[in-house]
Amino acid sequence: QQLKVLNETLEQRVAERTAVATRRAAQLQVLASELTRTEQRERRRLAQVLHDDLQQTLYAARLSLGTLRTRLEEKSLLETVERVDELLSQSIAQSRSLTVQLSPPVLYESGLAAALEWLGRHIHETCRLVVDVEADPKIEAESEDLRILLFEATRELLFNVVKHAEIGHARVSLTACDDAELCLVVADEGAGFVPPDQKVDRKVASGFGLFGLRERLELLGGRLRIEAVPGRGTCVTIWAPSSRGGGSPNPRLPSDRPASAVVSAGSSP
């Protein structure tokens, strides 16, 4: 009778702790989603401020400068006005670029595939990194939170290539693993590094952070795998729920994914 009572008590405690763990996991997932949404709201707010306030002020300054130019006759003053006008023009161009970088309209208007293609062009124009993008336009992330996270992760991974890979070429692919998952790969054949699973490399893990990225992906139902060999390149593969199938809140470990789902940069298929 005592053993029976103890067993029932144990089962009750296990059930209570399981319920608490489930509740906390759900809370963490909500917090991860809210964090992503909050970050993006702030980006969009800053982009709006730049567009509505700063750019309008700079335009007004250029107009006033143009009026002043028509009234000046002294050559040295005209040259000074021209230089100021050029600086204002550069400031407007930089403000426009920053506005788009903070909150790319294509991400909300055209979906993840179009946003990745835009990102590849943007990285090439600003960082001189050639990015081959292969993205299926029919593939979309399960939620807006996840779409934003995947886009920001891709941008940070490409910046890592620019900063650390010592190579001028990278590739990005977005494909469907099945009806429930998408597969996003960012790879290069550059310097490579020791993966953080084996050794913490603060230089490579800076910025958005591979560790933080992995944790946030897992909270939103995704997962990440890093394959890197010093001198032979790096390949980061992300699996995430797709809107076509809804995804699973408890995804399988990468070990049960077919080997063909990942292309390891700088190594034989």
Side-chain angles (χ1 to χ4, degrees):
Q1 186 66 23
Q2 289 178 341
L3 286 174
K4 183 179 179 180
V5 171
L6 287 173
N7 187 53
E8 291 175 349
T9 302
L10 179 61
E11 288 179 352
Q12 182 179 356
R13 289 182 179 178
V14 169
E16 290 173 352
R17 294 190 179 185
T18 300
V20 170
T22 302
R23 195 162 55 246
R24 288 180 178 175
Q27 290 171 344
L28 284 173
Q29 185 170 6
V30 171
L31 288 173
S33 296
E34 184 58 30
L35 176 61
T36 302
R37 286 196 296 268
T38 301
E39 288 176 344
Q40 203 59 26
R41 278 198 301 268
E42 280 303 295
R43 284 175 171 269
R44 299 183 79 172
R45 185 185 67 81
L46 289 173
Q48 196 68 34
V49 168
L50 285 172
H51 181 270
D52 293 345
D53 297 336
L54 179 58
Q55 290 182 30
Q56 301 307 317
T57 302
L58 292 172
Y59 274 123
R62 285 199 74 192
L63 289 173
S64 299
L65 201 61
T67 302
L68 178 62
R69 184 191 294 116
T70 61
R71 299 180 181 180
L72 290 177
E73 296 181 358
E74 187 176 338
K75 185 177 180 180
S76 61
L77 289 177
L78 284 171
E79 290 176 350
T80 301
V81 168
E82 291 294 338
R83 284 198 298 272
V84 174
D85 184 68
E86 183 179 351
L87 290 172
L88 285 172
S89 179
Q90 292 176 5
S91 299
I92 291 172
Q94 291 170 356
S95 176
R96 285 175 177 169
S97 176
L98 183 57
T99 298
V100 175
Q101 289 181 53
L102 281 170
S103 182
V106 66
L107 181 60
Y108 302 94
E109 297 170 1
S110 304
L112 181 59
L116 293 177
E117 291 175 355
W118 172 86
L119 180 61
R121 294 192 298 270
H122 178 71
I123 293 291
H124 181 227
E125 292 170 1
T126 57
C127 303
R128 302 304 178 199
L129 177 72
V130 177
V131 183
D132 291 334
V133 179
E134 294 182 7
D136 187 340
K138 294 180 290 185
I139 297 174
E140 191 54 81
E142 182 183 45
S143 63
E144 184 180 66
D145 305 341
L146 192 55
R147 181 168 74 246
I148 293 169
L149 180 60
L150 293 173
F151 177 82
E152 296 295 343
T154 304
R155 175 156 55 184
E156 186 65 21
L157 290 169
L158 288 174
F159 281 149
N160 279 345
V161 175
V162 172
K163 291 184 289 185
H164 307 302
E166 302 173 3
I167 196 171
H169 184 271
R171 65 181 182 274
V172 175
S173 69
L174 176 67
T175 57
C177 297
D178 50 44
D179 288 338
E181 278 191 318
L182 60 82
C183 180
L184 176 63
V185 177
V186 180
D188 68 82
E189 297 182 359
F193 66 102
V194 177
D197 290 330
Q198 303 174 31
K199 175 184 175 181
V200 176
D201 189 335
R202 296 299 180 186
K203 181 180 179 183
V204 177
S206 61
F208 194 78
L210 294 177
F211 295 104
L213 171 58
R214 175 174 294 177
E215 290 174 357
R216 290 172 67 174
L217 275 170
E218 289 176 352
L219 288 172
L220 293 176
R223 62 192 189 281
L224 173 147
R225 183 165 71 189
I226 302 168
E227 295 176 294
V229 179
R232 298 182 64 185
T234 303
C235 178
V236 178
T237 305
I238 297 172
W239 293 276
S242 169
S243 60
R244 295 187 298 181
S248 169
N250 298 305
R252 294 170 295 175
L253 294 174
S255 58
D256 62 7
R257 175 66 52 193
S260 59
V262 179
V263 178
S264 180
S267 61
S268 300

